[in-house]
Amino acid sequence: MIDRSVFNNIAALYHTFGCKLNFAETSTIARQLAELGVRRVSGAERPDIIVVNTCSVTELADKKCRQTIRSLHKRYPDAAIVATGCYAQLKSTEVAALPGVAVVAGIDRKMDLADFIGRYLAGHTPEVDACDAREIREFRPSCSRGDRTRFFLKVQDGCDYWCTYCTIPRARGRSRSGTIDSLVAQAAEAAASGGREIVITGVNIGDFGKGRDDTFFDLIRELDRVEGIARYRISSIEPNLLTDGIIDWVAGSSRAFMPHFHIPLQAGSDEVLALMRRHYDTALFRHKIERVREAMPHAFIGVDLITGARGESDALFEASRAFVDSLDISRLHVFPYSERPSTKALDIDGVVSQQEKHRRTNVMLRLSEAKWEGFARRFIGDIRPVLLEHPQGHEKPMAGFTDNYLRVEVDGATPELDNKIVNVKITGIDPAAETMQGMLCDAPC
């Protein structure tokens, strides 16, 4: 039982690294602490506790977490730093040794941070608790409001794929998911709180329902019936788990699921995909892109890509570049390959130099810029629905995202339209900022 009195007059600062799932979980942690009386720091106030939700997807992510923790301790030497997340799970002893760290809580303890913090505030005794994530079986729910108009609904956690370059199964544990009834109830609560859009998050969301009789398709059809939620977005789904049935349903039968897909490719070469132990080849990936584009010509399609993986020769990289260039996609998320301890990729020959990884990353980023601009220009002159968000600065115009995930700055929009869907005529494009310009209108405009 938590002694609520220890939370009296406590101020907290939150810092999150990594994926949308981490941001959703941080938001849930902050809400739990707020219910105990902990307030977020404001202005020049100094925090009593600092919650750092870490990431370990790359070596650079580890480094950024260490640097940030050291920087936070230097800036707020009297604050107790509470570390959780993937880096804290994988390297709990290393994290605990960083200056200012009072608590290290593993992945399955993330939703119990209030207990850890309460114990620390009561006794000021440091604590480290991180078990082997592969033994975790419990799904811990999270549905939280983001910083702006949308909610993030965690439907699944963990991964059973064991791709050779990836540490996520060690950090997040085995694949597990919530029940459809519980997730629908959380979506309904989000709607009752004013939510208009929900982003469906997880580690491998297409694996939802594994070990049960229900599937991800079953889940999204039930979520689609929740009154008050106008938009759903699928954060990321493996190409082998994105069924043609899901694509066709989003295109023709869904009430609220947006024409927006994020599909990880990781390499555009069958040889490299095999070295990575991915669950598809380039032919299947091309089929999924073409199927989405045929069913929804206006759909936004984002793609993840890793450059410079072990075994990716110059010729295989060029094959990957040519394959990606041939796809009708909207944007790339490009990541240089990073060596991760205890991964099978370390047994693969053909190490790519840092300089060459940097070059390949820049090649793919330039290709991404061209893809985005080519996709966005298709919609100049069109009228599209935009969910408006309050401006990020006093001099900034209202902005929001179209149904097909184009960010638009909207002339004529006023603050009372925050969190409302309006018709906007697309009038221009700023490729450097990956932003469209538009004017508020009533269709036809």
Side-chain angles (χ1 to χ4, degrees):
M1 179 68 68
I2 301 175
D3 179 3
R4 296 177 67 98
S5 67
V6 300
F7 296 99
N8 291 341
N9 204 32
I10 294 296
L13 176 68
Y14 301 90
H15 194 100
T16 305
F17 292 92
C19 59
K20 291 177 180 177
L21 180 55
N22 261 12
F23 280 86
E25 290 171 338
T26 297
S27 183
T28 297
I29 292 165
R31 188 182 71 242
Q32 291 172 344
L33 290 174
E35 291 170 353
L36 292 167
V38 177
R39 67 184 185 280
R40 284 182 181 266
V41 293
S42 60
E45 186 178 16
R46 302 182 73 80
D48 301 291
I49 57 172
I50 303 172
V51 177
V52 181
N53 197 351
T54 63
C55 174
S56 189
V57 70
T58 64
E59 182 181 3
L60 179 60
D62 287 1
K63 181 179 179 181
K64 286 182 177 179
C65 291
R66 290 193 297 271
Q67 289 175 336
T68 297
I69 289 172
R70 291 190 178 103
S71 175
L72 288 168
H73 175 65
K74 185 176 181 180
R75 185 175 180 184
Y76 306 111
D78 296 327
I81 297 175
V82 179
T84 189
C86 291
Y87 178 44
Q89 170 69 38
L90 290 170
K91 298 183 178 179
S92 56
T93 302
E94 181 177 302
V95 174
L98 292 171
V101 173
V103 173
V104 178
I107 287 292
D108 64 326
R109 306 293 192 257
K110 190 178 284 191
M111 294 300 119
D112 298 324
L113 277 192
D115 295 325
F116 285 88
I117 293 169
R119 287 195 294 272
Y120 180 79
L121 292 173
H124 294 278
T125 302
E127 188 170 359
V128 179
D129 189 339
C131 71
D132 187 335
R134 290 170 292 183
E135 301 306 316
I136 300 170
R137 296 292 185 273
E138 183 182 4
F139 176 79
R140 308 298 295 273
S142 173
C143 181
S144 301
R145 185 188 293 272
D147 292 335
R148 305 187 73 76
T149 63
R150 59 194 56 84
F151 279 69
F152 295 87
L153 176 63
K154 173 182 170 182
V155 304
Q156 183 272 343
D157 204 345
C159 186
D160 295 338
Y161 273 14
W162 291 98
C163 300
T164 57
Y165 57 84
C166 187
T167 60
I168 296 304
R170 284 189 175 84
R172 284 275 182 178
R174 298 173 185 269
S175 181
R176 54 204 186 275
S177 50
T179 65
I180 290 178
D181 287 347
S182 68
L183 296 168
V184 167
Q186 290 172 64
E189 289 177 9
S193 299
R196 303 300 309 283
E197 179 175 310
I198 288 179
V199 180
I200 298 173
T201 66
V203 176
N204 186 359
I205 61 176
D207 211 25
F208 176 88
K210 185 174 183 179
R212 304 196 305 250
D213 292 332
D214 46 10
T215 67
F216 183 67
F217 195 5
D218 296 327
L219 170 66
I220 62 176
R221 284 184 293 190
E222 290 303 314
L223 289 173
D224 197 53
R225 298 189 175 102
V226 175
E227 293 294 330
I229 301 299
R231 292 180 165 187
Y232 289 98
R233 297 190 190 276
I234 300 171
S235 61
S236 180
I237 185 167
E238 294 287 311
N240 53 298
L241 299 176
L242 177 59
T243 66
D244 291 350
I246 292 174
I247 294 169
D248 292 341
W249 179 80
V250 171
S253 302
S254 169
R255 177 189 62 83
F257 275 78
M258 295 295 98
H260 174 198
F261 294 89
H262 193 96
I263 313 171
L265 170 61
Q266 311 305 15
S269 154
D270 286 338
E271 290 96 323
V272 178
L273 288 174
L275 290 173
M276 291 177 166
R277 293 187 185 172
R278 299 295 285 165
H279 289 236
Y280 53 87
D281 57 16
T282 54
L284 183 143
F285 195 89
R286 183 183 296 280
H287 166 74
K288 296 302 177 183
I289 300 301
E290 291 177 349
R291 187 65 180 262
V292 170
R293 192 58 73 209
E294 178 184 2
M296 290 165 278
H298 57 298
F300 187 100
I301 306 174
V303 171
D304 286 340
L305 191 75
I306 296 172
T307 56
R310 283 194 176 216
E312 186 184 67
S313 64
D314 291 345
L316 292 178
F317 170 72
E318 177 52 31
S320 183
R321 187 209 61 77
F323 176 75
V324 172
D325 194 22
S326 72
L327 299 173
D328 188 1
I329 59 176
S330 310
R331 190 176 188 269
L332 292 169
H333 289 234
V334 186
F335 306 90
Y337 167 73
S338 179
E339 304 271 51
R340 308 307 293 135
S342 303
T343 56
K344 293 293 185 181
L346 299 180
D347 298 329
I348 299 171
D349 294 330
V351 175
V352 179
S353 70
Q354 289 298 119
Q355 181 179 5
E356 178 61 14
K357 278 191 270 190
H358 181 72
R359 185 193 73 81
R360 294 179 187 183
T361 297
N362 285 334
V363 167
M364 289 300 192
L365 287 174
R366 289 194 295 271
L367 179 55
S368 177
E369 291 168 359
K371 291 287 186 184
W372 184 90
E373 183 173 357
F375 175 75
R377 286 194 181 279
R378 302 176 194 177
F379 303 99
I380 295 177
D382 283 8
I383 297 171
R384 302 212 72 86
V386 174
L387 177 57
L388 286 174
E389 303 173 342
H390 58 81
Q392 294 181 331
H394 294 300
E395 304 301 322
K396 296 285 188 180
M398 293 283 287
F401 285 91
T402 62
D403 54 338
N404 60 339
Y405 205 59
L406 289 168
R407 186 176 185 276
V408 186
E409 293 183 344
V410 182
D411 290 336
T414 50
E416 61 268 20
L417 294 176
D418 180 33
N419 203 29
K420 291 184 170 56
I421 297 173
V422 298
N423 290 316
V424 174
K425 183 172 183 178
I426 308 299
T427 58
I429 182 174
D430 180 356
E434 291 195 350
T435 300
M436 313 291 286
Q437 288 87 41
M439 57 183 293
L440 188 66
C441 64
D442 295 320
C445 189

